[in-house]
Amino acid sequence: MQEFLDPDIVLHQAEGLPYGGQWRGPAGLARFMAVMARTWASFEILAQERLVDGDRVVVLSQVRARGRATGVELEFPILQFIRLREGRLAEVRPFYWDTAAVAAACTGR
């Protein structure tokens, strides 16, 4: 996957989530993926719509996921703003409609 990542990639996640914060570089993205695997027992993208404008991409995804700690299954939309640099992922900003519901499915709180 590293060939698709800009060396300075940054992933911004909502602070209210168990995996919130900024994840920088390919190593940061690998750490993020490990945290996601510990957080979610399953994470499935059901549908996606994309809008591409040069090096900017907006993706609306419908997701079904089950929290590993709680067993709670949840369906929710995520809107992501993605910026490319020389054809590689340089920045990803996901926006959640209800971060409290997503966090509760992950942690039970």
Side-chain angles (χ1 to χ4, degrees), residues 32-108:
F32 166 76
M33 297 302 283
V35 171
M36 286 288 285
R38 289 193 304 269
T39 302
W40 296 106
S42 64
F43 196 92
E44 178 184 6
I45 297 173
L46 303 174
Q48 285 191 323
E49 296 178 48
R50 293 173 200 84
L51 177 62
V52 179
D53 182 20
D55 66 350
R56 297 172 299 172
V57 181
V58 176
V59 180
L60 175 60
S61 302
Q62 187 65 27
V63 173
R64 179 181 322 142
R66 185 167 42 87
R68 190 172 298 283
T70 65
V72 171
E73 188 170 278
L74 184 65
E75 282 193 26
F76 55 95
I78 300 174
L79 184 73
Q80 296 182 85
F81 171 78
I82 299 169
R83 192 171 47 83
L84 305 173
R85 185 179 301 124
E86 297 179 8
R88 294 180 174 184
L89 291 170
E91 181 180 21
V92 180
R93 287 185 181 268
F95 297 91
Y96 299 80
W97 268 250
D98 188 347
T99 54
V102 173
C106 296
T107 65

